[in-house]
Amino acid sequence: MVQNVATRMVELEREDFHLLSGIEHGMRFSRWVAREKLPEFSRLDPSDIEYRIDRCMDRELLEQKTMQYTGYRLTFEGYDALALRAFSERETIDGVGSPLGVGKESDVYEVRSFRPLALKYHREGYTNFREVQKEREYTADNEHRSWLYTARKAAEREYETLETLYPNVSVPRPVDQNRHAIVMERIDGVELSRVKLEPEQVVGVLDLILSELMAAYEAGVVHADMSEYNVFVASDGVTIFDWPQAVPTEHANSRELLQRDIDNLFGHFERKYPRETPGIDRGKLADALVSGTFETVRQFEE
């Protein structure tokens, strides 16, 4: 698990960030940045490098490996520190609070700002980089990329998608993005996987989610990773989040991915609410979402 680096930020000095950003730059060319390259990349005096390395290593912001040479690379904590510094300098946030959710591919924290916000760090590829490289379209054309690059591309794609969808689709309002991190509106609600709906609520909530998927399609986007883990249910409606795998509707597989989203969604409802979930023609439902004619799943009961 990646540790929350926010508590270490006050200990870091400007020159520490010079070293971290220099290593970040060097990692564009090599997985491990040679010790001899650090003065060039960081623009620090060679006599200061060792001191800065020790400080950053002590705070677990760097990793070291000895091969034919001694090399360094950022840890995710080091990458987090660079993103947090950027948000602080932009005055996007002024403090990081408690975790809101920790998963395999992201960590989310509450943050202090002018209104309740959430900070999401993308972690794609941290535990299984090769698998993510195969599955994620935004890494397919790159032979040499680290998991830091993969996480940054995921954050960029998700942020761009949120900007496209908000406010016409019920998604978190995007606020800022830097490297692998996104600042967005904090959403109150209960994850669909954990909520307990009353029998009379099941079809209504299902209709709300499908209506948002239709609105997203009208905006030119298919979620492509729909599940019960990326929908919040609240008294005033539903919010759909986690959009890094979204594809444009002109994508060659967009119709297939939309159908998969529908199947995943119905799979959850049929497992949890077998009596209340109507049996429908899912193909016709997908057609209705594409054409913008969906109103309720009752239209498609078999």
Side-chain angles (χ1 to χ4, degrees), residues 21-161:
S21 60
I23 292 175
E24 176 190 23
H25 177 70
M27 288 179 67
R28 294 170 56 191
F29 312 105
S30 175
R31 296 196 189 282
W32 296 90
V33 183
R35 168 70 174 77
E36 293 73 21
K37 290 286 188 179
L38 297 184
E40 173 189 347
F41 289 147
S42 66
R43 299 183 180 180
L44 291 172
D45 189 282
S47 62
D48 194 28
I49 290 289
E50 205 62 45
Y51 174 67
R52 298 297 163 188
I53 288 174
D54 288 343
R55 283 177 53 82
C56 291
M57 291 283 290
D58 287 346
R59 290 162 178 79
E60 300 181 337
L61 307 179
L62 293 179
E63 292 179 303
Q64 175 183 300
K65 185 175 182 179
T66 302
M67 303 158 279
Q68 297 91 338
Y69 59 92
T70 300
Y72 298 89
R73 69 180 182 185
L74 296 177
T75 61
F76 253 123
E77 286 86 352
Y79 210 34
D80 291 356
L82 287 170
L84 277 182
R85 180 175 173 83
F87 289 140
S88 176
E89 289 177 337
R90 297 174 185 172
E91 299 184 348
T92 301
I93 64 175
D94 56 24
V96 179
S98 303
L100 297 174
V102 177
K104 291 190 299 182
E105 296 192 346
S106 66
D107 295 340
V108 183
Y109 292 87
E110 61 180 353
V111 290
R112 294 194 300 271
S113 185
F114 61 95
R115 61 182 298 178
L117 298 177
L119 169 64
K120 178 179 181 178
Y121 295 117
H122 278 268
R123 306 295 191 202
E124 280 85 349
Y126 181 58
T127 57
N128 196 346
F129 176 55
R130 289 185 178 179
E131 198 63 31
V132 169
Q133 269 193 315
K134 288 190 293 184
E135 293 180 357
R136 300 301 165 88
E137 191 169 276
Y138 44 78
T139 66
D141 58 349
N142 296 288
E143 294 181 1
H144 160 61
R145 294 299 182 189
S146 69
W147 32 260
L148 276 73
Y149 172 89
T150 305
R152 177 173 65 81
K153 294 303 291 184
E156 289 174 354
R157 173 171 286 200
E158 180 167 31
Y159 191 77
E160 290 168 0
T161 301

Side-chain angles (χ1 to χ4, degrees), residues 5 10 20 31 58 76 109-110 113 144 180 183 190 277 281:
V5 76
V10 294
L20 294 175
R31 296 196 189 282
D58 287 346
F76 253 123
Y109 292 87
E110 61 180 353
S113 185
H144 160 61
H180 64 315
V183 178
V190 181
T277 304
D281 186 323

Side-chain angles (χ1 to χ4, degrees), residues 176-191:
D176 201 357
Q177 182 260 325
N178 183 266
R179 295 175 170 88
H180 64 315
I182 297 174
V183 178
M184 66 186 84
E185 176 187 15
R186 177 177 173 176
I187 302 298
D188 292 322
V190 181
E191 197 175 80

Side-chain angles (χ1 to χ4, degrees), residues 150-254:
T150 305
R152 177 173 65 81
K153 294 303 291 184
E156 289 174 354
R157 173 171 286 200
E158 180 167 31
Y159 191 77
E160 290 168 0
T161 301
L162 293 177
E163 286 190 310
T164 297
L165 297 178
Y166 186 86
N168 295 322
V169 182
S170 184
V171 299
R173 180 177 63 87
V175 175
D176 201 357
Q177 182 260 325
N178 183 266
R179 295 175 170 88
H180 64 315
I182 297 174
V183 178
M184 66 186 84
E185 176 187 15
R186 177 177 173 176
I187 302 298
D188 292 322
V190 181
E191 197 175 80
L192 180 62
S193 64
R194 296 188 292 114
V195 75
K196 176 59 179 174
L197 300 175
E198 297 299 326
E200 63 273 14
Q201 296 176 309
V202 171
V203 169
V205 170
L206 188 53
D207 284 348
L208 286 174
I209 298 170
L210 291 167
S211 294
E212 296 301 335
L213 294 184
M214 180 171 66
Y217 197 93
E218 290 174 347
V221 177
V222 174
H223 190 284
D225 191 32
M226 197 67 202
S227 78
E228 64 269 28
Y229 302 107
N230 43 39
V231 179
F232 274 147
V233 179
S235 59
D236 58 348
V238 300
T239 303
I240 301 177
F241 54 97
D242 282 347
W243 293 83
Q245 293 194 62
V247 299
T249 52
E250 62 265 24
H251 188 284
N253 298 324
S254 65

